[in-house]
Amino acid sequence: MTTIKLHNTKTRKREDFTPIDDKNVRMYVCGPTVYDRAHLGNARPVIVFDVLNRLLRHVYGDAHVTYVRNFTDVDDKINARAAESGRSIGEITAETTQWFLDDMAEVGALEPDHMPRATAYIPQMVAMIEDLIAKGHAYAAEGHVLFSVESYKAYGALSGRSIDDMIAGARVEVAPYKRNPMDFVLWKPSDDATPGWDSPWGRGRPGWHIECSAMADELLWKEPLRQDRLSDKAKSAPHVFDIHGGGLDLQFPHHEDEIAQSCCANGTDEMARYWLHNEMLQVEGKKMSKSLGNFFTVRDLLDQGVPGEVIRFVMLSTHYRKPMDWTEKKREEAEKTLRKWRELSEHVQPSKPSKKLIEMLANDLNTAGAISQLHEMASVLLAAFGGADLPDEIDVGGIESEFLASAQFLGLITDELSGWNWKAENEKDNLIGWAEVLSEVRLQALAKKDFSELDRIKLQLVEAGLEVRFKKDGVEIVDDIGIDQSKIGEIFYPWANNK
C-alpha cells in the first residue's frame, strides 16, 4: 500500500499518514460563507483537498473514505447582503450555494460525500454549547454564550501562540460581558431583522466556530451508519477523526477555537489527528484586493473565456504550502500546455495513473512534481509522434494510456472539462508553425534557385484544404474550408526530419 506523507500543522513536521481506521478514513474541510461569488482564492483549498480526496480514495478505496465540506449559511455578511438587496436570507444562500457548486465543478472539483449547511445543524450546536456550559468551559452573559479560553490549557497549540501574546496582538471585540478579551462567541442574540432560533439563552444564532465542531462531530462520528462502520480501534478514539483542512487564514482563530470547543465538549486531547493548511493566493505578485484592482471571482475568469481546466492547472503547478501567484503568463502557458496534451490524448483510452505521479502526490501532495511527471510523459509522446527514434523498450501506446489516466487523476483532460475550444486554438498555432516551416523552405529555394520542393509542399497544402500566400516578409497559410490533418503530417514531418 502507498504510504502517504502529510505536513501536519499541529506537529510542524511531515509525518506518515496513519488513519485511525483504514476502512473508514475521515476528512473535514472548512467550506465557504455563501454570501457572494467565490473569489479565486476560495478555489485553492477546494482544488487542493479535492486532490487529497482523490489520493485517499485511490489508496484506501472509494467506499472507505468520507469527505465533508460545509457551507456557512448563517453569518453577518449574509445578513448585510439581505438588508442591502431586500431579498430573503434563504433566497440569497440558496442562490450563492449553487453558484459555488457550479463554479467549483467548472474547475474539476468532485463533490464531497457530505456538504452540510450550518442552519440544518442548529440543534446539535445548541446541545454542544449546553454541554460546554455544564462542564465549566463556557458561560452565558447578556444573551450571549462565550467560551472561556482560560479553561482550556492547550489553547494556542495549533498556531503556536500564547494567550498573552494573542491578547496583545488581537483585534477582538472587548465587550463588557467578556471575562477575558480572548473569550469567543458560541451563541449571540438575534433581533427581529436577523435569523434566529430558540435556545436556553433566548432567541439567537450560533457563532461561526461552533458550526464546524458540531457538524464534524455529527457527520464523522455520530451519524448512525458511521457507528456500524467504526472498528474497535476507531471506537477507542471517540470523537476524533483523521484530517482537518482549510486555508492558512483559518488556522487562527477559527481552527484554534474549533479544537478548544471539540476537545472540551468531547473530553478528548485532539479533534483531528492531522491538520493541513494551504497557503494564500496572490495576483501578479501582490495580495488580491479590491483596493488594488486585482480582485476577481472564479466566474469572472470563466466569463472572460478562461477555461476552468486552466485555472485548475495553474493552481496545481504550485505546492499547496507555498503562496500561489496567479499571473497572466502562467494562464497563457497553462492553456497552451493543455491544448497540446488534449491533442496528444484525443483518441486514447486511459489505463492506470503513473506510479511516479502517485508517489509525487503521496509526498505531501506534491502537485507541482506531478505536473512535471506529465510534462515528461508528454515529451516522450511528442518525440515519438514527431518521428524520433526511441528505444525499443518504450511502449508508446502504453505511455499514451498512462499519460491520460495520470492527467485525469489530477482532474485534468476529463470529459467534464472539455467544453473549451482547444482544437481551434491548436489549429491556429499549427497554421503559424507550418507557415514558419514553409518560409524556411522558401529561403532555401531562393538560395539554390530550385523551387521544386517549395512547389511540391504548396500543392499538397492546397490539396489538404489550405490557401498559401507568399508575401515579401514571409508566408501566410489560411484555412478556408477545413484541414485534412493526415495530409499535413505527410507534408511536413518527412521534410522536418531530414532537413
Side-chain angles (χ1 to χ4, degrees), residues 7-21:
H7 184 274
N8 191 349
T9 305
K10 183 169 64 174
T11 60
R12 293 163 181 76
K13 63 183 180 180
R14 189 171 300 188
E15 302 174 351
D16 288 353
F17 172 66
T18 305
I20 298 168
D21 178 359

Side-chain angles (χ1 to χ4, degrees), residues 274-286:
Y274 303 85
W275 287 79
L276 272 68
H277 294 91
N278 63 273
E279 257 286 3
M280 297 296 97
L281 177 134
Q282 299 174 333
V283 176
E284 302 290 349
K286 297 180 180 179

Side-chain angles (χ1 to χ4, degrees), residues 3-4 22 44 50 77 85 134 137 155 167-168 180 227 242 249 274 312 318 339 349 360 390 406 463 495:
T3 299
I4 299 174
D22 61 9
R44 193 177 194 198
D50 177 66
K77 290 180 180 178
S85 64
H137 295 291
Y155 191 81
I167 291 174
N180 183 309
Q227 291 289 340
D242 298 296
D249 57 325
Y274 303 85
R312 185 180 183 92
T318 300
R339 282 193 267 113
Q349 291 299 315
M360 286 288 183
L390 300 177
S406 299
E463 289 176 349
W495 183 88

